[in-house]
Amino acid sequence: MPSHTPPVPRVIRRRGRLAVGALATALFGQLISGTAVAAPSAEDTAVSPTPGLPGRIAWAPCEPPSVGGEGVFECATVKVPVDWKRPKGTTLDLALARHRATDPARRIGSLLVNPGGPGGSGVDFAFSAPSSFSPELLARFDIVGFDPRGVARSTPVVCDEDRVMTQNALLYPDSAASFAALRKANRALGESCRELSGPLADHMDTGSVVRDMEAIRAGLGERRISYYGVSYGTAIGQQYAERYPHRIRAMTLDSNMDHSLGPWGFQKTEAVGVEQSYGQFADWCARTASCALHGQDARAVFTSLYKRAEAGELVVPGDPPQTITPQDLQSVALGSMYDPAVWFGFARMLADLDAGAAGAAARFARTYGEPMEYPFNSVMCQDYDFGVSSYRTLARFERELGRLAPVMRLSPLGWTVQNGCQDWPSEVRNPQRRLDVEGTPPILMTNSRFDPATPYSWGANAARQIGREAVFLTYDGVGHGDYWLSPCARDAIDTYLVTLKTPRKGTHCPAVWPSGPSAQRQSPSGGLVNPLPELLGTGTYGRAG
């Protein structure tokens, strides 16, 4: 999700200033070659390729950037309308990349993948396939990733960086006046996105992405596709299953979104999710002698740091010295909960901050540069109606969240999504609703018990909405992206995608914990490394030090 991340606004690179609330680093990639034109399917307003004939996508060999692994890669583009209600109007090119099946004689078909965000690059996800997916999936599937509309290589939505900076500084209003200023800043930012990006800025909703994915399926020339989506990629999958149930061979949804939540439900579940995740980190420190906070109460350490930050007293040495805000602390903690493999470094960072050590400054250093890609708000603010009527309501939310989450106080991801969408100028084209899925094959859904970004309750609720078609697997550990956190979950997902055999309903996978500092750069589940912190931009926080 909202990878956010994590998956919230990309880091703004500008004159060495700190961008409060900017949680995701910019994802830059090389231009890719190849063209294709794919019209919608007969179920919509496009024409599917004749079964058995080659797909319409014209693939060409391409070289991946250094995002991990080696392999045989091809790239292409698919042309889709900016506004699906006007299929003959302005178009944009969606960027695709694929890693060809390493055992062509046993190839099953294409496995479309999306890493979430909104704002994560599916092209980079495909490029990372050799280190991100098991040898069995690599052998049996063409791994196909696409950059969703407005993201990375697919005509990125661009917004005015000064207005992004202004919005970021106002995301935590403390009065009616600052809340009004935030609303004004949000509108100005959204209008800048529209001015700089054209009509695409108003057509970034997930419903449009779903129709884009169907165009990709048609261009691939496959009657049915397999799909693996994680985080925000689950929202794409859920809504694709609603609209095109008979186009699915297999679908795995990992770390699920819940598109039925209103403003308070969204905030409450996000806050509880990150609070519980931090609690698991604190308990792990208490029983792990090599944790830098072992012998201390990690909850109390964070509370102390937060209070010092609130008072403006949390300053780390440097040239110049850096003042750390409460929002900085919350954002770093959230990003560090994505993968327990980074907990040794996170604990060291908190210990350094508590001691005023100079080494902590490097973990917060960010630099800023020129105009930026900024798709996150354009998607979330067209997918969720999060209008808050007044500052009084917002302040009540904040008080109640503080009672629910006494350490973290709130989820910086949830808070940023809600507040960043107040008075956003684009229409909410795809507002919240319960899922209505019927006629699909079994859909394998999985969530970790302690997920800081897409809480466990989201996955359980989404599975209930899908109903009999859903098989829900629980990973009893911490993190975001079960495929890389749990060998048990990965085996279940691999088995399902290859054989269509699901685990029994109600299956649980045991938690996996980091065992030593050497695990800092390697997933404790062994073998594959979780690509989400880098693809969604949380690596700046979770992998520091």
Side-chain angles (χ1 to χ4, degrees):
M1 141 128 169
S3 98
H4 97 248
T5 148
V8 282
R10 296 183 175 195
V11 161
I12 310 148
R13 303 188 173 281
R14 176 180 179 153
R15 296 186 290 275
R17 292 187 291 170
L18 191 67
V20 175
L23 302 182
T25 54
L27 300 171
F28 295 105
Q30 63 187 23
L31 295 175
I32 62 177
S33 59
T35 59
V37 177
S41 75
E43 294 176 325
D44 251 12
T45 54
V47 179
S48 297
T50 302
L53 294 181
R56 297 172 178 231
I57 295 175
W59 296 98
C62 59
E63 292 293 329
S66 55
V67 295
E70 297 178 355
V72 179
F73 294 97
E74 296 175 326
C75 295
T77 59
V78 169
K79 195 176 295 294
V80 296
V82 168
D83 182 353
W84 275 102
K85 293 181 179 178
R86 296 175 174 82
K88 295 184 179 179
T90 306
T91 62
L92 68 107
D93 290 333
L94 299 174
L96 287 78
R98 72 175 173 184
H99 178 276
R100 297 298 299 270
T102 58
D103 189 349
R106 299 170 63 229
R107 177 185 177 275
I108 294 171
S110 295
L111 175 64
L112 268 66
V113 297
N114 182 277
S121 168
V123 168
D124 286 343
F125 198 17
F127 284 152
S128 77
S131 60
S132 297
F133 293 105
S134 69
E136 181 68 5
L137 290 191
L138 295 174
R140 304 300 299 277
F141 291 98
D142 293 341
I143 309 294
V144 179
F146 65 99
D147 286 349
R149 56 176 49 218
V151 173
R153 305 160 182 84
S154 295
T155 314
V157 167
V158 178
C159 305
D160 183 280
E161 66 166 341
D162 288 328
R163 292 180 181 179
V164 175
M165 293 290 290
T166 299
Q167 184 212 48
N168 283 340
L170 295 169
L171 284 171
Y172 291 76
D174 58 4
S175 67
S178 59
F179 188 50
L182 171 63
R183 288 182 181 275
K184 183 178 179 181
N186 287 342
R187 178 162 290 275
L189 173 57
E191 289 172 348
S192 83
C193 302
R194 179 184 290 159
E195 181 179 348
L196 293 171
S197 305
L200 178 58
D202 290 319
H203 296 277
M204 290 286 289
D205 61 286
T206 301
S208 295
V209 177
V210 163
R211 299 184 72 167
D212 294 345
M213 195 166 90
E214 171 62 3
I216 294 170
R217 180 208 62 79
L220 288 168
E222 301 199 15
R223 293 177 63 87
R224 297 186 301 159
I225 56 169
S226 301
Y227 178 75
Y228 171 83
V230 58
S231 192
Y232 168 70
T234 66
I236 299 171
Q238 291 165 9
Q239 294 179 44
Y240 186 89
E242 282 188 304
R243 190 170 190 120
Y244 305 105
H246 302 299
R247 294 301 189 189
I248 298 169
R249 173 193 168 272
M251 177 173 283
T252 294
L253 305 176
D254 182 344
S255 306
N256 281 264
M257 298 280 289
D258 181 358
H259 195 229
S260 71
L261 297 172
W264 171 244
F266 191 92
Q267 293 303 319
K268 174 183 176 181
T269 51
E270 283 279 68
V272 169
V274 73
E275 178 81 2
Q276 291 180 340
S277 298
Y278 187 89
Q280 292 293 304
F281 161 75
D283 293 345
W284 168 83
C285 260
R287 64 176 185 268
T288 303
S290 51
C291 173
L293 295 177
H294 184 68
Q296 303 181 63
D297 182 343
R299 294 175 178 86
V301 169
F302 190 90
T303 298
S304 173
L305 291 171
Y306 189 94
K307 289 179 178 178
R308 288 164 60 188
E310 276 188 312
E313 298 171 354
L314 190 58
V315 181
V316 293
D319 186 16
Q322 292 192 54
T323 300
I324 306 303
T325 70
Q327 292 75 43
D328 291 330
L329 286 173
Q330 291 169 320
S331 297
V332 171
L334 170 65
S336 298
M337 295 304 106
Y338 270 50
D339 188 342
V342 307
W343 281 1
F344 288 99
F346 175 57
R348 171 51 55 195
M349 182 202 70
L350 293 181
D352 287 349
L353 279 175
D354 196 38
R363 296 175 170 84
F364 285 92
R366 273 100 83 193
T367 57
Y368 310 106
E370 295 308 312
M372 55 176 299
E373 300 172 15
Y374 194 85
F376 186 81
N377 275 22
S378 292
V379 177
M380 295 301 290
C381 301
Q382 292 175 46
D383 268 9
Y384 287 90
D385 184 357
F386 278 162
V388 177
S389 59
S390 66
Y391 174 71
R392 182 177 180 180
T393 300
L394 189 72
R396 188 182 76 247
F397 279 12
E398 192 168 10
R399 289 193 301 272
E400 293 177 0
L401 292 172
R403 287 193 287 270
L404 288 168
V407 177
M408 289 294 297
R409 274 109 170 144
L410 51 76
S411 164
L413 174 55
W415 203 244
T416 297
V417 170
Q418 171 187 271
N419 291 356
C421 287
Q422 303 305 307
D423 276 18
W424 191 261
S426 297
E427 175 187 351
V428 182
R429 295 179 177 274
N430 184 39
Q432 303 99 301
R433 66 183 188 284
R434 289 182 62 83
L435 292 167
D436 183 11
V437 176
E438 186 174 350
T440 68
I443 296 173
L444 177 57
M445 306 175 71
T446 174
N447 271 71
S448 76
R449 184 67 186 82
F450 305 100
D451 188 319
T454 55
Y456 183 74
S457 61
W458 288 12
N461 196 32
R464 282 192 294 269
Q465 293 170 43
I466 292 176
R468 61 185 179 184
E469 285 83 2
V471 176
F472 188 57
L473 180 149
T474 298
Y475 167 55
D476 286 326
V478 181
H480 189 59
D482 297 349
Y483 187 84
W484 302 281
L485 300 172
S486 163
C488 166
R490 182 165 63 246
D491 288 346
I493 291 169
D494 284 350
T495 298
Y496 164 68
L497 288 174
V498 172
T499 69
L500 303 182
K501 181 180 179 181
T502 62
R504 292 182 179 179
K505 289 193 174 185
T507 295
H508 284 245
C509 287
V512 179
W513 306 102
S515 57
S518 62
Q520 178 69 15
R521 285 280 181 179
Q522 184 174 358
S523 171
S525 65
L528 305 181
V529 176
N530 187 348
L532 294 187
E534 301 303 330
L535 291 171
L536 300 184
T538 60
T540 299
Y541 304 90
R543 297 194 181 277

